[in-house]
Amino acid sequence: MTATGTSTTSTTSTSAGTGTYGLSTEARNLQWLLGNLVEEVPGVRSVAVVSSDGLLLLSSDPDERPGPAADGTARPRGPRGSSADLATIVSGIGSLTIGAARLMDGGGVKQTMVAMEEGSVFVMAISDGSLLGVHATPDCDMSVVAYHMALFVGRAGHVLTPEVRSELRKSMESYR
C-alpha cells in the first residue's frame, strides 16, 4: 500500500514464475505464498484459494494465472485445468461441511481432509470465509501439509481484504 492507502501495481514476476502483471503488492504476495506452498511442501500437487461464494481467486496451475507466461508469451486459452477442478471440489466440500457443522451445532469448520487411494484433498478455512484447498499425493505427510496450510492461512487471512479479493476475482475473470 502507498502512503495514501491505494494499492501499488507492478509487472514483475515472483521467483516462483507466477505471472503478476498489473497486480497490487498484496495480490502478488498472496501468489508468492501460494507458489511457495506448492514448491516447498513435498507431495503437494495443486493449490487453490476459493472465495466464500465459490469463485477461484488464486491457483497454483500456471496456465490459470493472470498475465503473460513467465517467458513473456501469451498464455494459452482453453479448458480450465486441475486447479479449477480443485476449486469446484473445495467449494463443494466447504459447503457440505459448513452445513454439517450447523446441523450438529459444531461451530465453525476449521479444516477438512479427504483421503483417497490415489491422493488427498485438504480444505482449510481462511478468516474471511474463503477456503484454501490442497490436492496432495497419497504418500504425503499429512501433518506437514496441514502445518504449511495453517501457515498460509495465518499469513493470508489479514491480507485477503475485500479489495484484494475483488482484484483477484477480476484478474481470474479477465483471464477466462
Side-chain angles (χ1 to χ4, degrees):
M1 297 289 246
T2 64
T4 60
T6 58
S7 295
T8 58
T9 58
S10 172
T11 58
T12 60
S13 294
T14 65
S15 61
T18 304
T20 57
Y21 180 77
L23 294 179
S24 67
T25 301
E26 295 84 2
R28 288 193 326 267
N29 286 342
L30 287 172
Q31 286 187 330
W32 180 84
L33 285 171
L34 185 117
N36 199 39
L37 179 64
V38 173
E39 291 175 11
E40 301 297 323
V41 181
V44 172
R45 290 179 172 159
S46 62
V47 180
V49 175
V50 181
S51 67
S52 59
D53 54 357
L55 298 174
L56 180 62
L57 298 177
L58 287 170
S59 168
S60 65
D61 187 339
D63 290 338
E64 294 178 17
R65 294 182 186 144
D71 64 4
T73 61
R75 293 189 187 279
R77 299 195 184 249
R80 304 290 293 208
S82 61
S83 292
D85 292 341
L86 178 60
T88 301
I89 293 164
V90 166
S91 181
I93 289 172
S95 293
L96 179 64
T97 56
I98 289 168
R102 284 186 189 138
L103 285 172
M104 296 180 191
D105 293 325
V109 177
K110 295 180 181 181
Q111 60 187 11
T112 306
M113 195 271 297
V114 178
M116 303 167 285
E117 288 179 14
E118 298 301 321
S120 298
V121 175
F122 300 82
V123 179
M124 193 170 284
I126 300 176
S127 61
D128 69 333
S130 299
L131 299 168
L132 171 64
V134 172
H135 178 215
T137 60
D139 60 343
C140 73
D141 184 330
M142 292 181 191
S143 62
V144 170
V145 173
Y147 172 76
H148 284 278
M149 288 178 70
L151 288 178
F152 179 93
V153 166
R155 292 173 180 153
H158 70 281
V159 177
L160 205 51
T161 63
E163 295 81 16
V164 173
R165 282 193 311 272
S166 177
E167 176 185 2
L168 291 169
R169 276 188 201 151
K170 287 177 185 173
S171 70
M172 292 303 287
E173 288 171 4
S174 67
Y175 171 70
R176 282 192 241 168

